[in-house]
Amino acid sequence: MRGRPFPETVRAPNKRIFLIPVALIFGGLLLTYLHPWLSTGFFGIVISLAGVVSFFFVGLLFADFWASAHLTKSLMKDKGAVEVEEGERSSVSDPFEDELDSDK
């Protein structure tokens, strides 16, 4: 059994992940506006603030993944490694890949 510290994909990260915080912000805003009829103002504010904070953290994570994907591709081009197609795994060995014993 092999353990990998990083995902096996070589694709750049998708921007769809930014829809989650936007949905939280607008969902919380909707609950806040429905407060006079449903008494959901507090929950709406909490959900909206959670959306704002998650937008910040998702942005940081996306920027990190985007930068590492571009750095990896540029390093592979500079070193003359095998060209990696979208969605395929390269034949370059990973020095950070761990071999785990399955008999323990």
Side-chain angles (χ1 to χ4, degrees):
M1 182 172 142
R2 294 179 358 186
R4 291 186 52 83
F6 301 108
E8 295 207 15
T9 183
V10 293
R11 294 177 295 140
N14 292 329
K15 293 180 180 139
R16 289 184 309 198
I17 196 167
F18 282 122
L19 293 178
I20 295 170
V22 171
L24 283 173
I25 291 170
F26 285 122
L29 189 64
L30 178 70
L31 287 176
T32 304
Y33 284 134
L34 292 176
H35 173 66
W37 300 282
L38 299 176
S39 299
T40 56
F42 175 74
F43 295 117
I45 291 170
V46 169
I47 290 173
S48 291
L49 288 176
V52 170
V53 170
S54 66
F55 192 77
F56 174 71
F57 286 125
V58 166
L60 287 176
L61 184 69
F62 181 82
D64 185 39
F65 282 159
W66 182 82
S68 64
H70 283 282
L71 179 64
T72 302
K73 285 182 182 180
S74 67
L75 285 175
M76 289 179 69
K77 286 180 183 177
D78 290 344
K79 297 288 182 182
V82 178
E83 193 66 31
V84 178
E85 296 293 325
E86 286 292 320
E88 290 183 9
R89 178 122 190 242
S90 69
S91 62
V92 178
S93 64
D94 187 2
F96 299 110
E97 190 170 277
D98 295 332
E99 294 290 331
L100 301 175
D101 294 331
S102 61
D103 53 317
K104 283 188 177 182

